[in-house]
Amino acid sequence: MIYCQFTDLDGACEVHVVDDRYRDGWTTKVTETPNNRRDAGRTFSHATPGECADNLERLVTEGFVVPQYAIDNLRGEQSMLEQHFPSKLAEMRGQS
């Protein structure tokens, strides 16, 4: 599932976020930016959607454009896992 993707036309999103849980978890790729922000061009992998949402919020504080709906959708997925699949969530975190 793609939560958000780069947009060159309107600058509405400077990250690409995908659910790749069957390989690496949730992956965030940060666009290269002309003003050389610290995390520009980096790729992050997270074990859970909540960790990915935390990282997106951190990127926002660094000045990257991240749509709020991407963070909200990741938080919703985290909540669903906590409520209905706590053992699967523990496994994702490496706590099984």
Side-chain angles (χ1 to χ4, degrees), residues 63-82:
F64 288 97
V65 178
V66 177
Q68 185 61 45
Y69 65 80
I71 296 168
D72 294 345
N73 287 339
L74 287 160
R75 294 275 180 230
E77 189 161 351
Q78 178 73 23
S79 178
M80 185 270 306
L81 287 169
E82 289 169 351

Side-chain angles (χ1 to χ4, degrees), residues 40-59:
R42 292 191 59 197
T43 299
F44 300 91
S45 292
H46 301 284
T48 68
E51 291 172 11
C52 186
D54 291 344
N55 187 53
L56 292 180
E57 289 176 340
R58 183 187 63 76
L59 290 169

Side-chain angles (χ1 to χ4, degrees), residues 3-50:
Y3 291 89
C4 60
Q5 57 190 357
F6 301 131
T7 53
D8 292 331
L9 299 175
D10 60 5
C13 184
E14 294 181 316
V15 297
H16 182 78
V17 181
V18 296
D19 173 353
D20 197 15
R21 76 181 89 179
Y22 300 106
R23 290 188 29 194
D24 299 321
W26 284 257
T27 302
T28 301
K29 295 180 181 180
V30 183
T31 188
E32 298 283 352
T33 60
N35 58 3
N36 295 323
R37 286 176 271 181
R38 182 181 67 168
D39 287 322
R42 292 191 59 197
T43 299
F44 300 91
S45 292
H46 301 284
T48 68

Side-chain angles (χ1 to χ4, degrees), residues 80-93:
M80 185 270 306
L81 287 169
E82 289 169 351
Q83 291 176 7
H84 301 289
F85 303 99
S87 60
K88 181 66 176 169
L89 188 58
E91 182 183 314
M92 289 174 176
R93 290 179 175 147

